[in-house]
Amino acid sequence: MWCYRGGSISTEPRINDRIRVPEVRLVGPSGEQVGIVPLAKALELAQEYDLDLVEVAASARPPVCKLMDYGKFKYESAMKAREARKNQAHTVIKEMKLRPKIDPHDYDTKKGHVVRFLKQGDKVKITIMFRGREQSRPELGYRLLQRLASDVEDLGFIESNPKQDGRNMIMVLGPHKKKTEAMAEAREAQAARKAEAKANPGKSQNAAESDEVDEDMVDDVDIAEETAEAPAEASAEV
C-alpha cells in the first residue's frame, strides 16, 4: 500500500553524481552544442573544465545538461531575483489620526508626516476621532480634512471622500507620484549625498545624520517590497 509521508519537494536541478541517466545532451560552458554523450563522458569533461554538470532540462529525452560553475550561477540568480523585487512596488496605506480641535503645532507635525508619506508614494488614511460632544459637530472634522487635503494638494489628491464611520470620520489621500518613481528618486538622492560626502569629508554631523535617516527609509521600502503581497495598513500615529 502506497503512503505519502509528506516533506518538501526540491526545486534544485540535479548536478554531477545526482544525475541518474545513461546519456545526456551536453551543452558546453559557452553554450555550444556538444551533442549526445554518455553520462560518464559528460562527468569527465566537467572535471576536466573544473565545472559542474547541471541538468537544465530534465523532461527532455535525453535530458539536457550544461557545464557551468553552479555556485556562481546560483549567486547571480539570487542577485537578479533581489533586483527584480527591489523594482516591484506594493501599495502601502499609512494612517494618521487627528482630533477635531487639534493644536496648530500638532497639526503642522502630523501634516509633515502626511507630506512625507505622499512623497514616498504611499496612500494615507486620515482618521478624525470624535469624543463626547464632538460627535454632534461632524462639520468640524469635515473642515479639518478639507483643510489638510488643500495643504497637500501638490503631493496628493482625495481618493476617498470624507465619510462617517462610527465615532470617526475617514478620508484617504492618494499620491500623485507613483511608488516606483518615489523609490527611484529616493535612491538617486541617497547616491548623490554619498557622493557629496565622499567629496567633502568635512561634512557637518547634522547632514550625516540626515543621510542615515534617508538610508533607513530606502531600506524600509525594500523590506516592504519583499514581504508584501497585497496592500497593507501601517499605523503612523504620533
Side-chain angles (χ1 to χ4, degrees), residues 115-127:
V115 167
R116 177 164 56 88
F117 296 148
L118 292 173
K119 283 184 177 180
Q120 293 176 4
D122 295 322
K123 295 182 181 182
V124 188
K125 175 183 175 182
I126 311 296
T127 302

Side-chain angles (χ1 to χ4, degrees), residues 83-133:
E83 191 64 28
R85 288 195 299 271
K86 287 173 65 177
N87 293 329
Q88 291 177 346
H90 296 277
T91 301
V92 176
I93 301 179
K94 305 288 187 177
E95 182 175 15
M96 187 59 60
K97 297 180 179 179
L98 296 82
R99 295 292 301 276
K101 298 178 180 179
I102 189 171
D103 178 84
H105 175 72
D106 290 340
Y107 174 81
D108 290 338
T109 299
K110 296 200 172 187
K111 183 182 74 174
H113 289 301
V114 173
V115 167
R116 177 164 56 88
F117 296 148
L118 292 173
K119 283 184 177 180
Q120 293 176 4
D122 295 322
K123 295 182 181 182
V124 188
K125 175 183 175 182
I126 311 296
T127 302
I128 304 296
M129 301 180 297
F130 296 96
R131 296 292 182 269
R133 295 181 181 179

Side-chain angles (χ1 to χ4, degrees), residues 206-224:
N206 289 339
E209 291 175 356
S210 176
D211 285 347
E212 292 176 0
V213 170
D214 288 338
E215 287 177 5
D216 290 341
M217 182 191 76
V218 174
D219 290 341
D220 290 342
V221 170
D222 291 341
I223 292 171

